[in-house]
């Protein structure tokens, strides 16, 4: 669980996770860091089935930098707490996320950096182990060893 601080906007609580990629009839969907606002997640009656457009997030391949923030630009992120905040910079924009504590932030940043680096290096090296980042066609999940 994080607090997403949109630039010049109101912070919102989100549930975030890494989603495995998919291979569907010649189309490859990259693994993603996704999040869903908590108020949408907790709705008991859903007017429609949730679709991909209900979720926000970024492809792991679009991530350029993941930074722990020492200082926060108060004109953009007025309520962010610098010691608990990190920035995910992507091709499509920047995302400022706040954790519950510094320790949580440090751990999540380290793990996210490792996942992005591992995925990118396995793709470049054409390593068959890259399959750990994709849902298997038979539905059996293989846990990554990192």
């Amino acid at each position: 669980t994080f607090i997403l601080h949109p630039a010049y906007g109101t912070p919102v609580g989100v549930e975030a996770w890494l989603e495995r990629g998919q291979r569907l009839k010649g189309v490859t969907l990259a693994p993603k860091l996704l999040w869903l606002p908590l108020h949408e997640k907790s709705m008991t009656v859903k007017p429609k089935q949730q679709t991909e457009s209900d979720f926000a997030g970024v492809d792991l391949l679009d991530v350029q930098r993941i930074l722990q923030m020492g200082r926060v630009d108060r004109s953009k992120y007025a309520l962010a707490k610098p010691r608990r905040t990190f920035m995910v910079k992507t091709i499509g924009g920047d995302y400022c996320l706040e954790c519950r504590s510094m320790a949580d932030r440090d751990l999540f940043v380290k793990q996210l950096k490792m996942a992005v680096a591992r995925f990118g290096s396995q793709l470049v090296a054409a390593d068959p182990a890259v399959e750990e980042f994709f849902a298997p066609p038979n539905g059996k999940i293989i846990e990554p060893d990192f």
Side-chain angles (χ1 to χ4, degrees), residues 30-93:
K32 298 178 184 229
L33 171 63
L34 293 175
W35 56 85
L36 183 66
L38 289 175
H39 68 274
E40 289 181 25
K41 181 180 179 268
S42 64
M43 288 173 45
T44 54
V45 178
K46 299 196 179 350
K48 63 179 176 97
Q49 190 172 17
Q50 289 181 330
T51 63
E52 188 174 329
S53 64
D54 295 329
F55 299 92
V58 295
D59 287 351
L60 289 189
L61 290 175
D62 290 346
V63 174
Q64 295 173 329
R65 298 182 81 185
I66 303 163
L67 305 168
Q68 295 176 353
M69 297 177 70
R71 289 191 310 179
V72 174
D73 181 354
R74 292 288 176 201
S75 65
K76 283 176 108 173
Y77 311 107
L79 300 175
K81 296 181 172 118
R83 292 177 159 241
R84 301 186 327 197
T85 304
F86 66 97
M87 180 75 68
V88 178
K89 294 184 175 269
T90 69
I91 293 169

Side-chain angles (χ1 to χ4, degrees), residues 6-146:
Y8 311 108
T10 304
V12 67
V14 296
E15 180 85 22
W17 65 95
L18 286 177
E19 178 119 344
R20 292 177 185 260
Q22 297 283 325
R23 296 185 194 272
L24 307 167
K25 295 183 183 178
V27 176
T28 300
L29 303 173
K32 298 178 184 229
L33 171 63
L34 293 175
W35 56 85
L36 183 66
L38 289 175
H39 68 274
E40 289 181 25
K41 181 180 179 268
S42 64
M43 288 173 45
T44 54
V45 178
K46 299 196 179 350
K48 63 179 176 97
Q49 190 172 17
Q50 289 181 330
T51 63
E52 188 174 329
S53 64
D54 295 329
F55 299 92
V58 295
D59 287 351
L60 289 189
L61 290 175
D62 290 346
V63 174
Q64 295 173 329
R65 298 182 81 185
I66 303 163
L67 305 168
Q68 295 176 353
M69 297 177 70
R71 289 191 310 179
V72 174
D73 181 354
R74 292 288 176 201
S75 65
K76 283 176 108 173
Y77 311 107
L79 300 175
K81 296 181 172 118
R83 292 177 159 241
R84 301 186 327 197
T85 304
F86 66 97
M87 180 75 68
V88 178
K89 294 184 175 269
T90 69
I91 293 169
D94 298 343
Y95 301 93
C96 179
L97 295 153
E98 183 180 327
C99 297
R100 291 183 182 165
S101 68
M102 258 178 62
D104 286 350
R105 179 204 61 186
D106 294 347
L107 179 63
F108 188 80
V109 166
K110 179 181 176 184
Q111 290 176 337
L112 184 57
K113 283 182 176 183
M114 293 289 286
V116 170
R118 184 177 177 123
F119 179 57
S121 66
Q122 286 177 342
L123 278 179
V124 169
D127 187 344
V130 76
E131 291 304 316
E132 72 189 10
F133 287 94
F134 293 92
N138 62 5
K140 292 183 182 176
I141 300 297
I142 303 164
E143 292 300 322
D145 61 355
F146 59 90

